[in-house]
Amino acid sequence: MSHSRPPPLVTGISPKEGPAWTKVTIRGENLGTGPADLIGLSICGHNCLLTAEWMSASKIVCRVGPAKDDKGEIIVTTKSGSLGTSTVSFKLLRPERIGILDQSAVWVDEMNYYDMRTDRNKGLSPLSLRPSNPLGIDLDNVGQKCDLSQSDVELIFPGMSGDFTSENFSATWYLIENHSESSFEQLKVGVSNLKKQATKKNEGSLAYVKGGLSTFFEAQDALSAIHQRLESDGTEKVEGSMTQRLENILNRASNTADTLFQEVLGRKDKADSTRNALNVLQRFKFLFNLPLNIERNIQKGDYDVVINDYEKAKSLFGNTEVPVFKKVYGEVETRITALRSLLLDKLLQTPSTLHDQKRYIRYLSDLHAPGDPAWQCIVAQHKWILQLMQSCRDQFISGHRAALDVEGDSRPSAIGRLGHTASLKRGGSLRTPRPSTWRSETPLQVQFVDKLSDVVIGQLPNFWKLWISYVNGSLFSETGEKSGQVEKSKKNARQRQNDFKKMIEELTSQLVKLVRGALLPATLSQAGLSLYGGWEKQTELSGAWITQIIHTVRSCYEALSALEIPNDLLQGIQDLLLDLRVNCLVVTLLHSAEDIKRLAEKENWMVDNEGITALVSIFMLRVVTCVCVCVCVCMLLYIDDALMNSLCVVQEQRLLIVLSNCCYLEKHTFLNLMDHFEKHGLTGTEKIARVVDAVRELDRKLFDAYIERRADPIAGSLEPGMYAGYFDWRDCQTPTGVRSYLKEALVNIIAVHAEVFTVSKELVPRVLTKIVESVADEMCRLMQCVSSFSRNGALQVPHTHTHTHTHAISH
């Protein structure tokens, strides 16, 4: 036999393994010209031609039969190509047989029954729901199919299909693919066949009834016989009747079935329930493990992890209606409620750092705690500071002040820490270091004021910063910002602004009353004395100790002012400072008067050449000493205000005047006063020396400020004037004189000279030298920035520098 086409070649099968009756798709080359051309198909040695469905010359669909071999090739045989070959194989899986009473973890699908009693030469597959030749044309007499490839047809009919069961079926595609060689007469026969099939389909159930009319008659006779038998037995349940016997049979059958399958079905139901429960536990293990994880993370202090897990659980199960989820989520809410209480207790616990307070407030806000935790913390801190201040006074009165000194005297005080910046602004601190014997030699009132100031400065700044954070909403995380808690916090802060103002006033008032009770008891009412007094047994302080207390209170005031607390809230401290200064002067004068009263005891009754005794000279010396001491006290008390006010001057001319005054005070007033003290052997020269140092520091700051305000504009105008008019050093004209920007700079320097000369001639060399240096340095910097010079530019550079220095030196 001669063959016109190459033998079939199978190059692929999908799937590559499976049990019997698995539907597979075979792909390859030369798999036949049509269903009639396919005469043989075997997989693993089993003939599968009965279930084969020819799709195209490269595709065949069939079902694998129950072959004897577990693995084998796929062999295709066609009329046109004879016996084919295969490059792939199929693995047949042997399913385990499961009885009706055997336990199984899976449900076994029922196998479809395939009737093997069919004609092997029939070309159509009994499993196919679609005919392979709907036109009814004999494909053997048509000839070969179209030579167009699949890709070419898809390009011609984009989005269409040649499959007549597809929604995008294209008749033209189908005719080109299957009937490209059919004649017009054959296509007319196919149209007639289609019309006949449509006519048969429209006859519907009527044709089916006509074909099986005898069957319907037999069913009618059987139903009539049953009806007559039931009427003869009656409608009631009579023992021995057919209906009664039928009911008994059905009940016994039901009981027997229950007996056989009850245990099996019960185990199956139990297994299903267990499997479903395990699946639920595995799928929602996050929720079921969450209560235990919350407890563990709380014990470790990982509050951020707890909050993130809670937010996730709330978004997933907050509104669930599943009973088991609601129960577990209820346990989560119980633990979160306990966590809120724990965090609130930690927040209100004292003492605590500002960092911890902000952290606990953020946690509570993320957990949506009721109320306003930030305000509760502010109220608790306010009460605690008041109690701490009162406790400080009570412990000093009772003599148990050691309880306040947990870290000993070596610990730097809060005044020393927070008042350092303020003291530097004043030109240096006037507070002397504490010696090792400071506690034993210092009166109790002085120690109390110092410790009370440390308490206030140690707590009030954090208290104020907590309020500022509460006002601007920086206490909350990004979650709080998204939920609108920041705006809510700002709104609450505006409503409680007056309440916080009263808190600050109460704290400063408590400080003032405690100091007044220790030093100025006469300024308190009778009720105030009972709360803040109790210092009657202590000795009266001298002017020197009162001066030290004034410095301590002054440092406390400056430290609080540095926090930008409004001045009206600190007015009480300013009034206290004024009363302490007045009291210091009064005490100093009273002590001097007592010394003068006791001068009579020093009379020696010896007359000198002028006819007077030594009592007169001693009296004059005491008077001068008293006046000098009062002057020194006034200077030391008010020099802070003078220096601070000098630093606030804005106008340059006033800066210059204050600078001149400082120079005169240093050279004439303070130095002459020190000479007078040394000449008469008076004490206190070291205090005047500290005042001189403060004045010198103020002189330096004022000089730098004046130079900056005068030299910077002159130096800043050089570069714009130098490059005005697109000036270029590499392409400039021959210099004929000084350029305008230099003339402008010289005129400005002359104006500064005139301004300084009108105030103080002694300041002219000092000021002009510094300004000329600044201008010269700027000119040098500008020249260094030039990459290259032309010949004319090189001539202009030294000419410019020489002219500038010559004019500056001449002036």
Side-chain angles (χ1 to χ4, degrees), residues 508 511-512 516 520 550 553-554 556-558 560-561 565-582 638 641:
T508 56
L511 171 65
V512 170
R516 288 184 181 275
L520 305 172
I550 293 174
V553 178
R554 174 69 181 180
C556 179
Y557 172 77
E558 292 177 358
L560 296 180
S561 298
I565 298 178
N567 291 331
D568 57 335
L569 300 180
L570 303 178
Q571 185 61 40
I573 301 179
Q574 293 181 349
D575 296 340
L576 174 63
L577 286 171
L578 179 60
D579 293 344
L580 289 175
R581 288 165 177 167
V582 174
Y638 292 98
D641 295 333

Side-chain angles (χ1 to χ4, degrees), residues 142-160:
V142 172
Q144 294 184 356
K145 291 190 176 182
C146 179
D147 294 334
L148 290 176
S149 63
Q150 186 76 11
S151 59
D152 294 338
V153 178
E154 290 178 354
L155 291 176
I156 298 174
F157 303 98
M160 307 303 289

Side-chain angles (χ1 to χ4, degrees), residues 714 717-718 721 736-751 779 799-800 803-804 807 811:
I714 299 175
S717 63
L718 294 177
T736 58
V738 180
R739 295 180 59 192
S740 299
Y741 73 93
L742 288 177
K743 295 179 181 179
E744 181 181 357
L746 292 175
V747 170
N748 292 332
I749 294 175
I750 294 172
M779 286 294 299
H799 180 77
T800 300
H803 194 83
T804 303
H807 278 265
H811 284 288

Side-chain angles (χ1 to χ4, degrees), residues 454-475:
D454 285 349
V455 169
V456 173
I457 299 304
Q459 303 300 326
L460 196 55
N462 288 341
F463 181 68
W464 178 261
K465 292 176 182 178
L466 180 62
W467 165 256
I468 296 300
S469 301
Y470 179 62
V471 171
N472 57 30
S474 61
L475 294 175

